[in-house]
Amino acid sequence: MSGAVSRRALLFALGGVGLLAGCGDDHATWHSAGDIPGDSHEGDSASPDVTDSASPLVVPPANKPTAGVCPPPPGVVQKSGGPQYSLPCHGTNIALTVDDGPDPTYTPRMLDLLAQQGIRATFCMIGRSAAAHPDLVKRVLDGGHHIANHTFSHPLNIAKMAAGAVHAEMAKATDAIAKASGGNYRPALFRSPGGAWSSTVLGQCGNLGLRPLDWSVDPRDWSRPGVQHIVTTILTKTHPGSIILEHDGGGNREQTLTALGIVLPRLRDAGYTFAQP
């Protein structure tokens, strides 16, 4: 199968349906659709900073989890061998993923916040940043968090790159993370920059034993849309099985940290349980 497929073609796993163990060879080329949660993120320069000083923060109630019910996002279609967009449905499970670090300014604060809330997340790390900050790689692992491979240099055109270049980005990132961890950890998950997937990217996941991981709730915090936007998006879009996308690297993450300080306790109070993909 070839040609672009809308990012509305999300994976939904319900009940005992197992999540994908790897990547196969029969895949479509998937690109982001900008009108739904989970579209591509291109770095801090893509959008101006938006502050929240113009109006008071309004915190909507979080969606309450319903035991045994994991509603998929609109238009969800499961693709065999494709990226994981949802957790298996156990009624209350959700996941937090944190991209583009580690960052010496924001990753320690993110870790402090998660420790305060008793939440374990999955940090999708850029290899060159992991190599530059091995202390933070170790601290993430010491906190009980998982680390995913997010390429070595975060190329946003990865879906158009040749197989050799894609392989090099993935393999180099895995090696950098493993070395930074002291040789004790090698990622099992891969998140493609911008959520850009192709048959080549997925094929290289399979070649390297990496399981492709995407997301289902994207408040576009990378663009600094304002704390209000981040808070509202997460609390109104999160349902059982959701995988939430946030960032600790790639620019100023003050809004992200402020918003998570609000939404994480509210999600827990609503009855959600944080799990790892």
Side-chain angles (χ1 to χ4, degrees), residues 1-10 23-32 77-83 85 158-160 192 195-204 212 214:
M1 181 176 180
S2 62
V5 176
S6 168
R7 194 178 166 82
R8 291 183 184 277
L10 305 178
C23 313
D25 295 321
D26 183 18
H27 305 293
T29 299
W30 293 341
H31 298 286
S32 299
V77 177
Q78 179 168 338
K79 290 289 183 180
S80 176
Y85 294 93
I158 192 169
K160 298 180 180 180
S192 189
W197 302 98
S198 68
S199 58
T200 298
V201 173
L202 292 167
Q204 292 305 315
D214 213 282

PDB file of all heavy atoms in Angstrom, residues 1-10 23-32 77-83 85 158-160 192 195-204 212 214:
ATOM      1  N   MET A   1       0.852  -1.188   0.000  1.00  0.00           N
ATOM      2  CA  MET A   1       0.000   0.000   0.000  1.00  0.00           C
ATOM      3  C   MET A   1       0.884   1.232   0.000  1.00  0.00           C
ATOM      4  O   MET A   1       1.838   1.319   0.731  1.00  0.00           O
ATOM      5  CB  MET A   1      -0.894   0.008   1.243  1.00  0.00           C
ATOM      6  CG  MET A   1      -1.840   1.196   1.317  1.00  0.00           C
ATOM      7  SD  MET A   1      -2.924   1.052   2.752  1.00  0.00           S
ATOM      8  CE  MET A   1      -3.868   2.556   2.566  1.00  0.00           C
ATOM      9  N   SER A   2       0.574   2.183  -0.828  1.00  0.00           N
ATOM     10  CA  SER A   2       1.414   3.366  -0.905  1.00  0.00           C
ATOM     11  C   SER A   2       0.553   4.605  -0.893  1.00  0.00           C
ATOM     12  O   SER A   2      -0.665   4.535  -0.937  1.00  0.00           O
ATOM     13  CB  SER A   2       2.265   3.332  -2.184  1.00  0.00           C
ATOM     14  OG  SER A   2       1.428   3.342  -3.308  1.00  0.00           O
ATOM     15  N   GLY A   3       1.201   5.791  -0.837  1.00  0.00           N
ATOM     16  CA  GLY A   3       0.496   7.046  -0.801  1.00  0.00           C
ATOM     17  C   GLY A   3       0.278   7.522   0.601  1.00  0.00           C
ATOM     18  O   GLY A   3       0.403   6.776   1.560  1.00  0.00           O
ATOM     19  N   ALA A   4      -0.066   8.814   0.718  1.00  0.00           N
ATOM     20  CA  ALA A   4      -0.236   9.400   2.036  1.00  0.00           C
ATOM     21  C   ALA A   4      -1.527   8.939   2.671  1.00  0.00           C
ATOM     22  O   ALA A   4      -2.543   8.814   2.023  1.00  0.00           O
ATOM     23  CB  ALA A   4      -0.221  10.918   1.924  1.00  0.00           C
ATOM     24  N   VAL A   5      -1.482   8.661   3.937  1.00  0.00           N
ATOM     25  CA  VAL A   5      -2.657   8.295   4.711  1.00  0.00           C
ATOM     26  C   VAL A   5      -2.800   9.297   5.832  1.00  0.00           C
ATOM     27  O   VAL A   5      -1.854   9.595   6.532  1.00  0.00           O
ATOM     28  CB  VAL A   5      -2.528   6.874   5.302  1.00  0.00           C
ATOM     29  CG1 VAL A   5      -3.709   6.547   6.185  1.00  0.00           C
ATOM     30  CG2 VAL A   5      -2.410   5.854   4.173  1.00  0.00           C
ATOM     31  N   SER A   6      -4.013   9.830   6.026  1.00  0.00           N
ATOM     32  CA  SER A   6      -4.228  10.839   7.060  1.00  0.00           C
ATOM     33  C   SER A   6      -3.847  10.311   8.414  1.00  0.00           C
ATOM     34  O   SER A   6      -3.990   9.128   8.717  1.00  0.00           O
ATOM     35  CB  SER A   6      -5.693  11.262   7.086  1.00  0.00           C
ATOM     36  OG  SER A   6      -5.964  12.022   8.236  1.00  0.00           O
ATOM     37  N   ARG A   7      -3.375  11.194   9.251  1.00  0.00           N
ATOM     38  CA  ARG A   7      -3.039  10.845  10.616  1.00  0.00           C
ATOM     39  C   ARG A   7      -4.284  10.520  11.414  1.00  0.00           C
ATOM     40  O   ARG A   7      -4.210  10.095  12.550  1.00  0.00           O
ATOM     41  CB  ARG A   7      -2.261  11.992  11.261  1.00  0.00           C
ATOM     42  CG  ARG A   7      -1.596  11.590  12.543  1.00  0.00           C
ATOM     43  CD  ARG A   7      -0.820  12.785  13.063  1.00  0.00           C
ATOM     44  NE  ARG A   7      -0.463  12.548  14.416  1.00  0.00           N
ATOM     45  CZ  ARG A   7       0.589  11.819  14.790  1.00  0.00           C
ATOM     46  NH1 ARG A   7       1.366  11.296  13.895  1.00  0.00           N
ATOM     47  NH2 ARG A   7       0.859  11.638  16.057  1.00  0.00           N
ATOM     48  N   ARG A   8      -5.467  10.683  10.822  1.00  0.00           N
ATOM     49  CA  ARG A   8      -6.685  10.203  11.473  1.00  0.00           C
ATOM     50  C   ARG A   8      -6.680   8.682  11.543  1.00  0.00           C
ATOM     51  O   ARG A   8      -7.474   8.092  12.283  1.00  0.00           O
ATOM     52  CB  ARG A   8      -7.911  10.687  10.714  1.00  0.00           C
ATOM     53  CG  ARG A   8      -8.138  12.181  10.804  1.00  0.00           C
ATOM     54  CD  ARG A   8      -9.412  12.569  10.086  1.00  0.00           C
ATOM     55  NE  ARG A   8      -9.588  14.003  10.085  1.00  0.00           N
ATOM     56  CZ  ARG A   8     -10.101  14.703  11.079  1.00  0.00           C
ATOM     57  NH1 ARG A   8     -10.471  14.087  12.166  1.00  0.00           N
ATOM     58  NH2 ARG A   8     -10.234  16.011  10.988  1.00  0.00           N
ATOM     59  N   ALA A   9      -5.823   8.048  10.731  1.00  0.00           N
ATOM     60  CA  ALA A   9      -5.722   6.587  10.776  1.00  0.00           C
ATOM     61  C   ALA A   9      -4.890   6.195  11.988  1.00  0.00           C
ATOM     62  O   ALA A   9      -3.770   5.771  11.894  1.00  0.00           O
ATOM     63  CB  ALA A   9      -5.089   6.065   9.497  1.00  0.00           C
ATOM     64  N   LEU A  10      -5.441   6.398  13.166  1.00  0.00           N
ATOM     65  CA  LEU A  10      -4.756   6.106  14.422  1.00  0.00           C
ATOM     66  C   LEU A  10      -4.997   4.669  14.827  1.00  0.00           C
ATOM     67  O   LEU A  10      -6.007   4.058  14.498  1.00  0.00           O
ATOM     68  CB  LEU A  10      -5.273   7.035  15.537  1.00  0.00           C
ATOM     69  CG  LEU A  10      -5.203   8.521  15.284  1.00  0.00           C
ATOM     70  CD1 LEU A  10      -5.797   9.271  16.472  1.00  0.00           C
ATOM     71  CD2 LEU A  10      -3.774   8.950  15.057  1.00  0.00           C
ATOM     72  N   CYS A  23       7.634  -3.652  13.825  1.00  0.00           N
ATOM     73  CA  CYS A  23       7.204  -3.063  12.575  1.00  0.00           C
ATOM     74  C   CYS A  23       7.292  -4.106  11.489  1.00  0.00           C
ATOM     75  O   CYS A  23       8.256  -4.837  11.390  1.00  0.00           O
ATOM     76  CB  CYS A  23       8.100  -1.882  12.219  1.00  0.00           C
ATOM     77  SG  CYS A  23       8.393  -0.756  13.562  1.00  0.00           S
ATOM     78  N   GLY A  24       6.293  -4.148  10.635  1.00  0.00           N
ATOM     79  CA  GLY A  24       6.324  -5.065   9.505  1.00  0.00           C
ATOM     80  C   GLY A  24       6.770  -4.361   8.244  1.00  0.00           C
ATOM     81  O   GLY A  24       7.286  -3.257   8.260  1.00  0.00           O
ATOM     82  N   ASP A  25       6.534  -5.006   7.120  1.00  0.00           N
ATOM     83  CA  ASP A  25       6.981  -4.456   5.845  1.00  0.00           C
ATOM     84  C   ASP A  25       5.844  -3.848   5.042  1.00  0.00           C
ATOM     85  O   ASP A  25       6.078  -3.048   4.139  1.00  0.00           O
ATOM     86  CB  ASP A  25       7.635  -5.565   5.007  1.00  0.00           C
ATOM     87  CG  ASP A  25       8.908  -6.064   5.668  1.00  0.00           C
ATOM     88  OD1 ASP A  25       9.640  -5.218   6.215  1.00  0.00           O
ATOM     89  OD2 ASP A  25       9.156  -7.271   5.622  1.00  0.00           O
ATOM     90  N   ASP A  26       4.596  -4.228   5.327  1.00  0.00           N
ATOM     91  CA  ASP A  26       3.477  -3.774   4.524  1.00  0.00           C
ATOM     92  C   ASP A  26       2.837  -2.573   5.200  1.00  0.00           C
ATOM     93  O   ASP A  26       1.910  -2.690   5.980  1.00  0.00           O
ATOM     94  CB  ASP A  26       2.452  -4.906   4.374  1.00  0.00           C
ATOM     95  CG  ASP A  26       1.295  -4.493   3.476  1.00  0.00           C
ATOM     96  OD1 ASP A  26       1.457  -3.506   2.733  1.00  0.00           O
ATOM     97  OD2 ASP A  26       0.254  -5.162   3.525  1.00  0.00           O
ATOM     98  N   HIS A  27       3.337  -1.371   4.905  1.00  0.00           N
ATOM     99  CA  HIS A  27       2.862  -0.171   5.575  1.00  0.00           C
ATOM    100  C   HIS A  27       2.557   0.911   4.568  1.00  0.00           C
ATOM    101  O   HIS A  27       3.131   0.970   3.486  1.00  0.00           O
ATOM    102  CB  HIS A  27       3.930   0.372   6.540  1.00  0.00           C
ATOM    103  CG  HIS A  27       4.393  -0.632   7.537  1.00  0.00           C
ATOM    104  ND1 HIS A  27       3.586  -1.117   8.526  1.00  0.00           N
ATOM    105  CD2 HIS A  27       5.585  -1.264   7.699  1.00  0.00           C
ATOM    106  CE1 HIS A  27       4.249  -1.990   9.256  1.00  0.00           C
ATOM    107  NE2 HIS A  27       5.458  -2.098   8.769  1.00  0.00           N
ATOM    108  N   ALA A  28       1.677   1.793   4.978  1.00  0.00           N
ATOM    109  CA  ALA A  28       1.457   3.008   4.201  1.00  0.00           C
ATOM    110  C   ALA A  28       2.450   4.064   4.640  1.00  0.00           C
ATOM    111  O   ALA A  28       3.103   3.940   5.659  1.00  0.00           O
ATOM    112  CB  ALA A  28       0.033   3.511   4.436  1.00  0.00           C
ATOM    113  N   THR A  29       2.559   5.116   3.868  1.00  0.00           N
ATOM    114  CA  THR A  29       3.301   6.286   4.299  1.00  0.00           C
ATOM    115  C   THR A  29       2.327   7.184   5.032  1.00  0.00           C
ATOM    116  O   THR A  29       1.319   7.596   4.465  1.00  0.00           O
ATOM    117  CB  THR A  29       3.885   7.034   3.089  1.00  0.00           C
ATOM    118  OG1 THR A  29       4.778   6.163   2.406  1.00  0.00           O
ATOM    119  CG2 THR A  29       4.642   8.272   3.537  1.00  0.00           C
ATOM    120  N   TRP A  30       2.605   7.490   6.288  1.00  0.00           N
ATOM    121  CA  TRP A  30       1.702   8.276   7.117  1.00  0.00           C
ATOM    122  C   TRP A  30       2.275   9.647   7.339  1.00  0.00           C
ATOM    123  O   TRP A  30       3.428   9.811   7.690  1.00  0.00           O
ATOM    124  CB  TRP A  30       1.465   7.579   8.458  1.00  0.00           C
ATOM    125  CG  TRP A  30       0.719   6.309   8.313  1.00  0.00           C
ATOM    126  CD1 TRP A  30      -0.047   5.924   7.252  1.00  0.00           C
ATOM    127  CD2 TRP A  30       0.665   5.234   9.246  1.00  0.00           C
ATOM    128  NE1 TRP A  30      -0.568   4.678   7.458  1.00  0.00           N
ATOM    129  CE2 TRP A  30      -0.153   4.230   8.678  1.00  0.00           C
ATOM    130  CE3 TRP A  30       1.232   5.015  10.493  1.00  0.00           C
ATOM    131  CZ2 TRP A  30      -0.431   3.043   9.316  1.00  0.00           C
ATOM    132  CZ3 TRP A  30       0.953   3.828  11.134  1.00  0.00           C
ATOM    133  CH2 TRP A  30       0.124   2.855  10.558  1.00  0.00           C
ATOM    134  N   HIS A  31       1.446  10.651   7.136  1.00  0.00           N
ATOM    135  CA  HIS A  31       1.852  12.022   7.386  1.00  0.00           C
ATOM    136  C   HIS A  31       0.858  12.658   8.340  1.00  0.00           C
ATOM    137  O   HIS A  31      -0.288  12.229   8.437  1.00  0.00           O
ATOM    138  CB  HIS A  31       1.905  12.813   6.081  1.00  0.00           C
ATOM    139  CG  HIS A  31       2.903  12.277   5.121  1.00  0.00           C
ATOM    140  ND1 HIS A  31       4.252  12.440   5.282  1.00  0.00           N
ATOM    141  CD2 HIS A  31       2.752  11.539   3.991  1.00  0.00           C
ATOM    142  CE1 HIS A  31       4.899  11.864   4.291  1.00  0.00           C
ATOM    143  NE2 HIS A  31       4.017  11.298   3.501  1.00  0.00           N
ATOM    144  N   SER A  32       1.283  13.724   9.005  1.00  0.00           N
ATOM    145  CA  SER A  32       0.421  14.388   9.964  1.00  0.00           C
ATOM    146  C   SER A  32      -0.658  15.203   9.260  1.00  0.00           C
ATOM    147  O   SER A  32      -0.431  15.796   8.231  1.00  0.00           O
ATOM    148  CB  SER A  32       1.247  15.325  10.846  1.00  0.00           C
ATOM    149  OG  SER A  32       2.209  14.600  11.557  1.00  0.00           O
ATOM    150  N   VAL A  77      -8.425   3.871  12.839  1.00  0.00           N
ATOM    151  CA  VAL A  77      -8.313   2.608  12.122  1.00  0.00           C
ATOM    152  C   VAL A  77      -7.009   1.949  12.535  1.00  0.00           C
ATOM    153  O   VAL A  77      -5.956   2.568  12.481  1.00  0.00           O
ATOM    154  CB  VAL A  77      -8.330   2.827  10.593  1.00  0.00           C
ATOM    155  CG1 VAL A  77      -8.133   1.491   9.871  1.00  0.00           C
ATOM    156  CG2 VAL A  77      -9.630   3.484  10.152  1.00  0.00           C
ATOM    157  N   GLN A  78      -7.085   0.712  12.956  1.00  0.00           N
ATOM    158  CA  GLN A  78      -5.870   0.010  13.357  1.00  0.00           C
ATOM    159  C   GLN A  78      -5.090  -0.409  12.123  1.00  0.00           C
ATOM    160  O   GLN A  78      -5.635  -0.963  11.173  1.00  0.00           O
ATOM    161  CB  GLN A  78      -6.213  -1.220  14.190  1.00  0.00           C
ATOM    162  CG  GLN A  78      -4.974  -2.002  14.613  1.00  0.00           C
ATOM    163  CD  GLN A  78      -5.279  -3.048  15.661  1.00  0.00           C
ATOM    164  OE1 GLN A  78      -6.277  -2.938  16.363  1.00  0.00           O
ATOM    165  NE2 GLN A  78      -4.432  -4.057  15.751  1.00  0.00           N
ATOM    166  N   LYS A  79      -3.792  -0.134  12.151  1.00  0.00           N
ATOM    167  CA  LYS A  79      -2.901  -0.531  11.072  1.00  0.00           C
ATOM    168  C   LYS A  79      -1.916  -1.559  11.604  1.00  0.00           C
ATOM    169  O   LYS A  79      -1.118  -1.265  12.487  1.00  0.00           O
ATOM    170  CB  LYS A  79      -2.140   0.680  10.522  1.00  0.00           C
ATOM    171  CG  LYS A  79      -3.002   1.666   9.744  1.00  0.00           C
ATOM    172  CD  LYS A  79      -3.415   1.068   8.421  1.00  0.00           C
ATOM    173  CE  LYS A  79      -4.220   2.073   7.606  1.00  0.00           C
ATOM    174  NZ  LYS A  79      -4.630   1.510   6.309  1.00  0.00           N
ATOM    175  N   SER A  80      -1.964  -2.744  11.064  1.00  0.00           N
ATOM    176  CA  SER A  80      -1.052  -3.789  11.502  1.00  0.00           C
ATOM    177  C   SER A  80       0.392  -3.378  11.251  1.00  0.00           C
ATOM    178  O   SER A  80       0.754  -2.959  10.162  1.00  0.00           O
ATOM    179  CB  SER A  80      -1.362  -5.088  10.751  1.00  0.00           C
ATOM    180  OG  SER A  80      -0.437  -6.088  11.096  1.00  0.00           O
ATOM    181  N   GLY A  81       1.202  -3.456  12.295  1.00  0.00           N
ATOM    182  CA  GLY A  81       2.602  -3.099  12.169  1.00  0.00           C
ATOM    183  C   GLY A  81       2.886  -1.623  12.272  1.00  0.00           C
ATOM    184  O   GLY A  81       4.037  -1.205  12.158  1.00  0.00           O
ATOM    185  N   GLY A  82       1.869  -0.811  12.489  1.00  0.00           N
ATOM    186  CA  GLY A  82       2.060   0.630  12.568  1.00  0.00           C
ATOM    187  C   GLY A  82       2.353   1.103  13.966  1.00  0.00           C
ATOM    188  O   GLY A  82       2.500   0.320  14.900  1.00  0.00           O
ATOM    189  N   PRO A  83       2.453   2.416  14.140  1.00  0.00           N
ATOM    190  CA  PRO A  83       2.782   2.973  15.452  1.00  0.00           C
ATOM    191  C   PRO A  83       1.675   2.750  16.479  1.00  0.00           C
ATOM    192  O   PRO A  83       0.506   2.613  16.135  1.00  0.00           O
ATOM    193  CB  PRO A  83       2.952   4.474  15.170  1.00  0.00           C
ATOM    194  CG  PRO A  83       3.071   4.587  13.693  1.00  0.00           C
ATOM    195  CD  PRO A  83       2.334   3.442  13.114  1.00  0.00           C
ATOM    196  N   TYR A  85      -0.704   4.180  19.165  1.00  0.00           N
ATOM    197  CA  TYR A  85      -1.329   5.452  19.501  1.00  0.00           C
ATOM    198  C   TYR A  85      -2.082   5.408  20.825  1.00  0.00           C
ATOM    199  O   TYR A  85      -2.450   6.452  21.347  1.00  0.00           O
ATOM    200  CB  TYR A  85      -2.315   5.875  18.411  1.00  0.00           C
ATOM    201  CG  TYR A  85      -1.679   6.200  17.094  1.00  0.00           C
ATOM    202  CD1 TYR A  85      -1.537   5.239  16.110  1.00  0.00           C
ATOM    203  CD2 TYR A  85      -1.213   7.483  16.818  1.00  0.00           C
ATOM    204  CE1 TYR A  85      -0.951   5.535  14.891  1.00  0.00           C
ATOM    205  CE2 TYR A  85      -0.629   7.793  15.597  1.00  0.00           C
ATOM    206  CZ  TYR A  85      -0.502   6.812  14.640  1.00  0.00           C
ATOM    207  OH  TYR A  85       0.076   7.106  13.434  1.00  0.00           O
ATOM    208  N   ILE A 158      12.241  12.945   8.043  1.00  0.00           N
ATOM    209  CA  ILE A 158      12.657  11.549   8.135  1.00  0.00           C
ATOM    210  C   ILE A 158      11.820  10.631   7.259  1.00  0.00           C
ATOM    211  O   ILE A 158      12.326   9.632   6.723  1.00  0.00           O
ATOM    212  CB  ILE A 158      12.651  11.058   9.606  1.00  0.00           C
ATOM    213  CG1 ILE A 158      13.360   9.699   9.725  1.00  0.00           C
ATOM    214  CG2 ILE A 158      11.225  11.022  10.170  1.00  0.00           C
ATOM    215  CD1 ILE A 158      13.643   9.274  11.141  1.00  0.00           C
ATOM    216  N   ALA A 159      10.537  10.945   7.059  1.00  0.00           N
ATOM    217  CA  ALA A 159       9.682  10.096   6.237  1.00  0.00           C
ATOM    218  C   ALA A 159      10.095  10.096   4.773  1.00  0.00           C
ATOM    219  O   ALA A 159       9.673   9.226   4.009  1.00  0.00           O
ATOM    220  CB  ALA A 159       8.222  10.529   6.365  1.00  0.00           C
ATOM    221  N   LYS A 160      10.926  11.053   4.374  1.00  0.00           N
ATOM    222  CA  LYS A 160      11.395  11.136   2.989  1.00  0.00           C
ATOM    223  C   LYS A 160      12.855  10.707   2.846  1.00  0.00           C
ATOM    224  O   LYS A 160      13.401  10.740   1.740  1.00  0.00           O
ATOM    225  CB  LYS A 160      11.229  12.563   2.474  1.00  0.00           C
ATOM    226  CG  LYS A 160       9.783  13.036   2.453  1.00  0.00           C
ATOM    227  CD  LYS A 160       9.670  14.470   1.941  1.00  0.00           C
ATOM    228  CE  LYS A 160       8.215  14.937   1.920  1.00  0.00           C
ATOM    229  NZ  LYS A 160       8.097  16.322   1.429  1.00  0.00           N
ATOM    230  N   SER A 192       8.995   8.827  16.034  1.00  0.00           N
ATOM    231  CA  SER A 192       9.470   9.554  14.862  1.00  0.00           C
ATOM    232  C   SER A 192       9.279  11.059  15.048  1.00  0.00           C
ATOM    233  O   SER A 192       8.233  11.499  15.545  1.00  0.00           O
ATOM    234  CB  SER A 192       8.698   9.096  13.621  1.00  0.00           C
ATOM    235  OG  SER A 192       9.268   9.625  12.448  1.00  0.00           O
ATOM    236  N   GLY A 195       5.971  12.928  14.348  1.00  0.00           N
ATOM    237  CA  GLY A 195       4.989  11.882  14.084  1.00  0.00           C
ATOM    238  C   GLY A 195       4.946  11.489  12.625  1.00  0.00           C
ATOM    239  O   GLY A 195       3.902  11.075  12.120  1.00  0.00           O
ATOM    240  N   ALA A 196       6.071  11.624  11.917  1.00  0.00           N
ATOM    241  CA  ALA A 196       6.136  11.307  10.488  1.00  0.00           C
ATOM    242  C   ALA A 196       6.571   9.857  10.306  1.00  0.00           C
ATOM    243  O   ALA A 196       7.672   9.480  10.702  1.00  0.00           O
ATOM    244  CB  ALA A 196       7.122  12.249   9.796  1.00  0.00           C
ATOM    245  N   TRP A 197       5.697   9.056   9.702  1.00  0.00           N
ATOM    246  CA  TRP A 197       5.977   7.641   9.512  1.00  0.00           C
ATOM    247  C   TRP A 197       5.948   7.303   8.032  1.00  0.00           C
ATOM    248  O   TRP A 197       5.166   7.871   7.276  1.00  0.00           O
ATOM    249  CB  TRP A 197       4.951   6.786  10.246  1.00  0.00           C
ATOM    250  CG  TRP A 197       4.882   7.054  11.714  1.00  0.00           C
ATOM    251  CD1 TRP A 197       3.983   7.853  12.361  1.00  0.00           C
ATOM    252  CD2 TRP A 197       5.772   6.544  12.719  1.00  0.00           C
ATOM    253  NE1 TRP A 197       4.253   7.873  13.713  1.00  0.00           N
ATOM    254  CE2 TRP A 197       5.342   7.078  13.955  1.00  0.00           C
ATOM    255  CE3 TRP A 197       6.878   5.693  12.688  1.00  0.00           C
ATOM    256  CZ2 TRP A 197       5.982   6.776  15.154  1.00  0.00           C
ATOM    257  CZ3 TRP A 197       7.518   5.403  13.880  1.00  0.00           C
ATOM    258  CH2 TRP A 197       7.073   5.933  15.096  1.00  0.00           C
ATOM    259  N   SER A 198       6.769   6.399   7.630  1.00  0.00           N
ATOM    260  CA  SER A 198       6.774   5.889   6.264  1.00  0.00           C
ATOM    261  C   SER A 198       7.110   4.412   6.322  1.00  0.00           C
ATOM    262  O   SER A 198       7.528   3.884   7.369  1.00  0.00           O
ATOM    263  CB  SER A 198       7.810   6.627   5.414  1.00  0.00           C
ATOM    264  OG  SER A 198       9.129   6.299   5.845  1.00  0.00           O
ATOM    265  N   SER A 199       6.955   3.730   5.199  1.00  0.00           N
ATOM    266  CA  SER A 199       7.315   2.312   5.167  1.00  0.00           C
ATOM    267  C   SER A 199       8.794   2.124   5.477  1.00  0.00           C
ATOM    268  O   SER A 199       9.189   1.142   6.110  1.00  0.00           O
ATOM    269  CB  SER A 199       6.969   1.721   3.804  1.00  0.00           C
ATOM    270  OG  SER A 199       7.645   2.417   2.772  1.00  0.00           O
ATOM    271  N   THR A 200       9.608   3.093   5.062  1.00  0.00           N
ATOM    272  CA  THR A 200      11.047   3.011   5.344  1.00  0.00           C
ATOM    273  C   THR A 200      11.318   3.153   6.832  1.00  0.00           C
ATOM    274  O   THR A 200      12.085   2.383   7.419  1.00  0.00           O
ATOM    275  CB  THR A 200      11.800   4.101   4.564  1.00  0.00           C
ATOM    276  OG1 THR A 200      11.615   3.891   3.165  1.00  0.00           O
ATOM    277  CG2 THR A 200      13.280   4.076   4.886  1.00  0.00           C
ATOM    278  N   VAL A 201      10.691   4.150   7.469  1.00  0.00           N
ATOM    279  CA  VAL A 201      10.895   4.367   8.904  1.00  0.00           C
ATOM    280  C   VAL A 201      10.427   3.143   9.686  1.00  0.00           C
ATOM    281  O   VAL A 201      11.137   2.642  10.566  1.00  0.00           O
ATOM    282  CB  VAL A 201      10.163   5.637   9.374  1.00  0.00           C
ATOM    283  CG1 VAL A 201      10.227   5.765  10.897  1.00  0.00           C
ATOM    284  CG2 VAL A 201      10.759   6.879   8.716  1.00  0.00           C
ATOM    285  N   LEU A 202       9.252   2.655   9.367  1.00  0.00           N
ATOM    286  CA  LEU A 202       8.724   1.495  10.080  1.00  0.00           C
ATOM    287  C   LEU A 202       9.565   0.252   9.821  1.00  0.00           C
ATOM    288  O   LEU A 202       9.780  -0.575  10.720  1.00  0.00           O
ATOM    289  CB  LEU A 202       7.272   1.269   9.672  1.00  0.00           C
ATOM    290  CG  LEU A 202       6.303   2.360  10.141  1.00  0.00           C
ATOM    291  CD1 LEU A 202       4.968   2.223   9.422  1.00  0.00           C
ATOM    292  CD2 LEU A 202       6.110   2.317  11.640  1.00  0.00           C
ATOM    293  N   GLY A 203      10.060   0.110   8.593  1.00  0.00           N
ATOM    294  CA  GLY A 203      10.913  -1.026   8.288  1.00  0.00           C
ATOM    295  C   GLY A 203      12.199  -1.010   9.087  1.00  0.00           C
ATOM    296  O   GLY A 203      12.666  -2.057   9.565  1.00  0.00           O
ATOM    297  N   GLN A 204      12.777   0.168   9.276  1.00  0.00           N
ATOM    298  CA  GLN A 204      13.998   0.272  10.070  1.00  0.00           C
ATOM    299  C   GLN A 204      13.724   0.044  11.555  1.00  0.00           C
ATOM    300  O   GLN A 204      14.606  -0.425  12.285  1.00  0.00           O
ATOM    301  CB  GLN A 204      14.680   1.621   9.840  1.00  0.00           C
ATOM    302  CG  GLN A 204      15.253   1.791   8.444  1.00  0.00           C
ATOM    303  CD  GLN A 204      16.204   0.668   8.079  1.00  0.00           C
ATOM    304  OE1 GLN A 204      17.064   0.273   8.868  1.00  0.00           O
ATOM    305  NE2 GLN A 204      16.046   0.127   6.869  1.00  0.00           N
ATOM    306  N   PRO A 212       7.379   1.165  17.306  1.00  0.00           N
ATOM    307  CA  PRO A 212       7.026   2.555  16.996  1.00  0.00           C
ATOM    308  C   PRO A 212       5.940   3.096  17.916  1.00  0.00           C
ATOM    309  O   PRO A 212       4.903   2.472  18.099  1.00  0.00           O
ATOM    310  CB  PRO A 212       6.542   2.491  15.541  1.00  0.00           C
ATOM    311  CG  PRO A 212       6.052   1.094  15.369  1.00  0.00           C
ATOM    312  CD  PRO A 212       6.898   0.228  16.266  1.00  0.00           C
ATOM    313  N   ASP A 214       3.555   6.500  18.969  1.00  0.00           N
ATOM    314  CA  ASP A 214       3.024   7.809  18.603  1.00  0.00           C
ATOM    315  C   ASP A 214       2.238   8.363  19.783  1.00  0.00           C
ATOM    316  O   ASP A 214       2.579   8.103  20.928  1.00  0.00           O
ATOM    317  CB  ASP A 214       2.167   7.694  17.335  1.00  0.00           C
ATOM    318  CG  ASP A 214       2.244   8.940  16.469  1.00  0.00           C
ATOM    319  OD1 ASP A 214       1.581   9.938  16.807  1.00  0.00           O
ATOM    320  OD2 ASP A 214       2.969   8.916  15.447  1.00  0.00           O
TER     321      ASP A 214
END
